[in-house]
């Protein structure tokens, strides 16, 4: 147990002995922590929540108020080796101290303490010596003078502009608010990759296709594919059905569940596909209450199991907004912000009943809705009000005896697994937009994960936002009808830290370890990925900045999660056979080439059967896509075909093993064609029949994903359907 935990625990016990109530304990534990942090560097264990607060405090200490932060940065210019050397050593000390302890993570289910690299701690900053600091400062000063400032095009930043501008100032980089004729190092877009056209170099803060991939239907599809392969690992996403096409299955399944057990009375939440900020969301208790049409058009939506027993604080439901940086697709690099936000409902929670289903202030945590409730509390403090820092909530839970280390490691696992689910399709978009060989920018993106904690503390993924709001002010009614934008300290503290540290990580001056041994689609299970030089190894001109609030979780935890990256390897095959640059769909000839090259046809599975398989799957998929602009087989249809082929060839194995075996076979064919090319014969073949029903044992059939249930329930099931990505549509930030 870290020193910090001991402190929190002792404090809580003291409070208990004074007989104070649990609520008060939480608040005071938070205050205690402030004292602890400011007096001595805590021996925190990252990714433990204590380091969350350190990051937050670092930011708040140095950049608490916008005005102040500007003055500070001005002083830093002159004083790089003077007054601020104290700050440098303090931050450095904390940083190294943290690093020295941050290499363990308890991952749920494994019962293991995971060990990471432990060799960054050079001891220099542990015992900061003035001489070393001075030397570092002098070097840094020379370097800072030599290096030209990083240039950032902010002309399309929209509502993130304010936070971005503060970040750029803190970094002493150069902003181009109107864009620039010469290329910039970084382009900051407010909506999508395409906000600025024709960027051929530098880095853009959006990935092509991210908006589409994170829409509710596509995210549900991507997670469902992973649930089919790894049902237990992906049980953090509520059971979901796609409307309108799965309406019938939804009704049938719910009827069956209710018939089996009359005491079961589930609630469902219906969310429009392109919706955000709670728009168009409603709760139902019976499938007949679905509103399927808008005018004469069928509504695209997801209907999802409603989590009836969320964790409450002050009797209120709340959710977590966690910022995640997808730094690179290949190699996959994921960072999680140690500090986040929590958004509270404004009406005390009650389990859903017919009476309260429409009480949005009770059931929906969206800021955009609750801000209109008379009970909404704008707060200057991080630990009270309707929007609070994540660390304050975690401390409060710790004070009540919650194992927040476990909560945090479960959250990290959820983030990594979700990212692994969406990366395959993103890779297809990426190669279509920036084909290998074509000049183009590289991409990174900050994502907003919305997570609910269940009463039993299990984190549940609600959605992922491709454009999380980076506003650092909020509208306030100063007098009746008079609204003004006022700074929101909690937003500023969290969001400026996230943007600034994203920029630091994307600094083109930072050296990256080259990763040459990446196979298409990922690494072998258990294979180590060389780590990027830890970003805590700051460039000398970053000396006065707080330690990074973003923590690398991938490739750091590659060993624990790499085995999940099967679909990504299927995507790599798909991309390989796409052929014409810029394509996202496989034509029939390319599909045949794939089958031939990988030697998947034989006397039992003729090329005629291959054609039928292609036509069958592709036709059904194009039927679900009214707005399809490109004909052919998309990735999700290809994945379906791949699962089918794997099922035929490796019959009696579980799906994930079938798929892994077929992947190995295909990859081997592509890398080292065997001399003579002897075809392996599959055991049986008939016309394009669906793969056999998988015998995945699910702990509770009521909670299983609809795919397996549907297949099990239907005598005459067809290859399950997935939706193809929708056409580009800029969604609102949320
Ligand atoms: P939007 O993009 O419109 O904000 P969300 O998926 O985030 O849509 O849902 C809005 C709110 O509804 C969430 O912030 C959460 O409070 C609540 N919510 C969403 N899904 C569930 C669920 N499955 N169970 C319980 N509450 C949910």
């Amino acid at each position: 147990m870290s020193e910090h935990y001991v402190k929190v625990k002792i404090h809580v016990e003291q409070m208990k002995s004074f007989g104070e109530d649990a609520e008060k304990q939480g608040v005071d534990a938070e205050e205690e922590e402030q004292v602890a942090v400011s007096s001595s560097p805590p021996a925190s264990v990252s990714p433990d929540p204590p380091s969350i607060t350190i990051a937050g405090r670092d930011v708040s200490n140095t950049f608490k108020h916008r005005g102040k932060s500007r003055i500070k940065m001005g002083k830093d210019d002159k004083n790089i080796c003077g007054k601020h050397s104290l700050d440098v050593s303090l931050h450095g000390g904390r940083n190294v101290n943290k690093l020295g302890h941050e290499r363990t993570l308890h991952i749920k289910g494994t019962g293991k303490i995971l060990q990471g690299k432990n060799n960054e701690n050079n001891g220099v900053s542990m015992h900061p010596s003035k001489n070393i600091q001075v030397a570092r400062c002098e070097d840094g000063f020379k370097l800072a003078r030599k290096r030209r400032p990083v240039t950032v095009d902010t002309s399309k930043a929209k509502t993130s502009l304010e936070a971005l501008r503060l970040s750029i100032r803190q970094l002493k980089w150069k902003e181009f608010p109107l864009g620039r004729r010469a290329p910039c190092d970084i382009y900051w877009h407010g909506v999508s990759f395409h906000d600025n056209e024709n960027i051929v170099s530098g880095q853009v803060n959006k990935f092509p296709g991210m908006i589409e991939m994170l829409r509710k239907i596509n995210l549900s599809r991507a997670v469902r594919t992973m649930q089919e392969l790894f049902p237990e690992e992906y049980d953090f996403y509520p059971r979901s059905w796609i409307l309108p096409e799965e309406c019938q299955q939804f009704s049938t399944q719910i009827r069956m569940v209710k018939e089996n057990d009359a005491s079961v009375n589930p609630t469902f939440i219906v969310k429009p596909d392109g919706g955000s900020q709670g728009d168009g969301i409603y709760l139902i208790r019976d499938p007949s209450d679905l509103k399927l049409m808008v005018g004469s058009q069928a509504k695209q939506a997801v209907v999802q199991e409603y989590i009836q027993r969320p964790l409450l604080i002050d009797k209120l439901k709340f959710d977590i907004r966690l910022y995640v940086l997808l730094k690179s697709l290949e190699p996959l690099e994921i960072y999680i912000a140690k500090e986040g936000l929590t958004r509270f409902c404004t009406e005390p929670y009650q389990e859903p009943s017919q009476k309260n289903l429409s009480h949005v202030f009770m059931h929906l945590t969206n800021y955009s809705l609750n801000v209109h409730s008379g009970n909404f509390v704008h707060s200057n403090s991080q630990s009270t009000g309707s929007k609070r820092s994540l660390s304050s909530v975690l401390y409060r839970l710790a004070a009540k005896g919650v194992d927040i280390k476990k909560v945090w490691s479960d959250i990290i696992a959820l983030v990594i697994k979700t990212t692994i689910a969406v990366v395959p399709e993103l890779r297809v978009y990426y190669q279509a937009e920036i084909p290998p060989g074509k000049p183009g920018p590289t991409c990174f993106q900050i994502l907003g994960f919305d997570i609910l904690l269940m009463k039993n503390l299990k984190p549940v993924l609600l959605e992922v936002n491709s454009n999380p709001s980076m506003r650092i002010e909020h509208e306030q009614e100063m007098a009746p009808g008079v609204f003004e934008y006022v700074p929101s300290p909690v937003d500023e503290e969290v969001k400026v830290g996230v943007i600034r540290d994203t920029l630091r990580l994307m600094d083109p001056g930072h050296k990256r370890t080259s990763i040459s041994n990446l196979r298409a689609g990922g690494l072998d299970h258990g294979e180590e990925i060389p780590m990027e030089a830890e970003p805590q190894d700051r460039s000398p001109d970053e000396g006065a900045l707080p330690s990074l609030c973003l923590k690398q979780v991938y490739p750091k935890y590659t060993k624990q999660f790499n085995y999940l990256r099967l679909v990504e390897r299927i995507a790599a095959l798909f991309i390989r056979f796409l052929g014409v640059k810029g394509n996202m769909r496989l034509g029939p000839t390319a599909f045949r080439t794939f089958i031939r090259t990988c030697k998947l046809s034989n006397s039992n599975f003729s090329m005629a059967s291959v054609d039928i398989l292609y036509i069958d799957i592709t036709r059904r998929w194009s039927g679900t896509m009214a707005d399809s602009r490109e004909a052919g087989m998309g990735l999700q249809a290809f994945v379906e075909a791949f699962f089918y082929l794997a099922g035929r060839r490796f019959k009696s194995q579980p799906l994930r093993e079938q798929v892994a075996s077929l992947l190995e076979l295909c990859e081997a064919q592509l890398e080292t064609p065997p001399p003579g090319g002897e075809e392996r014969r599959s055991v049986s073949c008939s016309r394009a029949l669906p793969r056999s029903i998988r015998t995945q044992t699910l702990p509770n059939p009521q909670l299983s994903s609809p795919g397996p249930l549907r297949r099990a329930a239907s005598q005459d099931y067809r290859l399950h359907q997935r939706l193809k990505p929708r056409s580009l549509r800029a969604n609102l930030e949320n």
Side-chain angles (χ1 to χ4, degrees), residues 456-473:
N456 65 6
L457 298 168
K458 184 180 164 60
V460 169
L461 177 69
L462 300 178
E463 69 158 344
V464 188
N465 293 289
S466 54
N467 287 317
S469 166
M470 285 294 169
R471 271 187 192 279
I472 53 174
E473 65 281 290

Side-chain angles (χ1 to χ4, degrees), residues 202-218:
Q203 308 181 75
V204 177
N205 72 322
K206 304 282 178 201
F207 280 95
M210 189 66 92
I211 292 175
E212 291 84 343
M213 260 326 286
L214 294 183
R215 289 172 68 122
K216 293 176 173 67
I217 288 180
N218 277 337

